[in-house]
Amino acid sequence: MKPESRAYSSYSRDALTLLAQIIRRARIERKLTTQELADRAGISRGLVQRIERGDPGCAIGAVFETAAIVGVRLFDADQPTMAAHLSANSATLALLPKSVRRSRGSVKDDF
Amino acid sequence: MKPESRAYSSYSRDALTLLAQIIRRARIERKLTTQELADRAGISRGLVQRIERGDPGCAIGAVFETAAIVGVRLFDADQPTMAAHLSANSATLALLPKSVRRSRGSVKDDF
DNA sequence: AGCAAATGCCTCGTTTATGATCCATACTAA
DNA sequence: TTAGTATGGATCATAAACGAGGCATTTGCT
C-alpha cells in the first residue's frame, strides 16, 4: 500500500496535524524561514512544507529532526532522562515473551 | 538527501528509538503478532519490523497509525481535547506573522 | 506604495521506501 | 522434546518520497 492511499484513524491524523502545527508555530516563533530550517535539518524546503502540512508520507526521521531543531520535544524529557527511559524500556522488553502466541478467540482490543 | 544518510541529532534518534520500543512493548502486551498488527494497520509485516526497529525512513503516517492501533498516544489526550488543541493552535497560528523576516545578525538558537 | 524576500505549489528525474516472498532461526505450547 | 508458529532478515520489483528548480503570490520592511 502507498502512504498516500492508506487509511488513517482520526487519532493519528489529528496527532499528525497537531505535530505539524506545533512545528510550524515553533519555527515562526524562532524566526526561522522555511529555507533556514531546511538547511539546518539537512532537507529541502519542499519537505519542510510537507512536514508543516502534516503529510503522512514524510519520513519520520526528517519530521523528528525538524521538530528537534525548532525545540519541539515529542517526549518532554532531557537527555539523561531519555536515556533512562530507553534502558528501562529495554529491560522491560527483555522480560516480555519473545514471540506472541495466537491464543485463538479473543484479542485485546480495549483502547 | 536520503533518510538513510541523513544526520540526526541525538535527541531525535533517542525519541525515535524510544517510540519504537514503546510500540513494540505495547504490541506484545496486547498479544498481537507482527502480522496481525500489520494487517490492522494496512501495512506489511516488514514495515512493522522497521518501525519497531526505529528506522528513521519509515513514513510517519504508518508509524503513528501503528502506534494508535496498539494504544500508544503521542499526545496523551482524548478526541475532543485533541480537536480543541487543533483549533486553538490554528487560532494562534493565525496571529503569528505570515512570513519570517530575516533579521540579520542573531537567530534564536537556545535549545 | 514599492521592493525584496518568503511562501505555496507545481513538475520532473532520481533515489528510496514499501510490499511480496522466501528462508533460517528462535520461541512457545503441548 | 517435538511440532508449529512467530520472528528476523534478505532480496527484488514497484510505487512513492525527496531534491532541484521554477513561477506566482503574498508579506513585511522602508
Side-chain angles (χ1 to χ4, degrees):
Chain A
M1 189 89 55
K2 317 93 186 197
E4 182 65 27
S5 58
R6 270 197 272 250
Y8 297 104
S9 69
S10 61
Y11 176 81
S12 47
R13 256 185 292 102
D14 285 351
L16 204 48
T17 303
L18 189 50
L19 179 56
Q21 283 187 341
I22 294 176
I23 290 176
R24 179 180 176 81
R25 179 175 170 177
R27 174 182 66 80
I28 296 178
E29 289 174 340
R30 280 171 185 266
K31 303 194 192 309
L32 285 175
T33 65
T34 53
Q35 185 63 62
E36 289 170 333
L37 178 52
D39 291 342
R40 294 195 180 196
I43 62 180
S44 67
R45 187 170 69 92
L47 184 50
V48 169
Q49 290 198 51
R50 276 182 298 245
I51 289 173
E52 291 192 351
R53 209 183 302 152
D55 187 328
C58 296
I60 194 172
V63 180
F64 276 28
E65 183 64 17
T66 300
I69 290 177
V70 293
V72 173
R73 323 259 94 147
L74 286 310
F75 301 97
D76 57 342
D78 49 29
Q79 244 285 338
T81 305
M82 287 280 286
H85 277 298
L86 279 171
S87 60
N89 233 300
S90 295
T92 303
L93 229 17
L95 296 179
L96 293 177
K98 273 71 166 144
S99 93
V100 174
R101 230 51 196 185
R102 258 206 90 17
S103 53
R104 294 180 312 94
S106 64
V107 180
K108 293 224 175 230
D109 231 352
D110 50 335
F111 70 91
Chain B
M1 190 90 55
K2 318 92 187 205
E4 182 65 28
S5 57
R6 270 196 273 250
Y8 298 104
S9 68
S10 61
Y11 176 82
S12 48
R13 256 185 291 103
D14 284 352
L16 205 47
T17 303
L18 189 50
L19 179 56
Q21 282 187 343
I22 293 176
I23 290 176
R24 179 179 176 80
R25 179 174 169 177
R27 175 182 65 79
I28 295 177
E29 288 174 340
R30 281 170 185 268
K31 302 195 192 310
L32 284 175
T33 65
T34 53
Q35 184 64 62
E36 289 169 334
L37 178 52
D39 291 342
R40 294 194 179 197
I43 62 180
S44 66
R45 188 171 67 92
L47 183 50
V48 169
Q49 292 197 56
R50 270 171 298 204
I51 290 174
E52 291 191 350
R53 209 183 302 151
D55 187 328
C58 296
I60 193 171
V63 180
F64 276 29
E65 183 64 17
T66 300
I69 290 177
V70 295
V72 173
R73 323 260 95 150
L74 285 312
F75 301 97
D76 56 343
D78 48 30
Q79 244 286 337
T81 305
M82 288 280 286
H85 278 297
L86 280 171
S87 61
N89 233 298
S90 294
T92 304
L93 229 18
L95 296 179
L96 293 177
K98 274 70 164 143
S99 93
V100 175
R101 270 317 151 161
R102 258 209 91 14
S103 53
R104 294 181 312 96
S106 63
V107 180
K108 294 223 173 229
D109 231 351
D110 50 335
F111 71 89

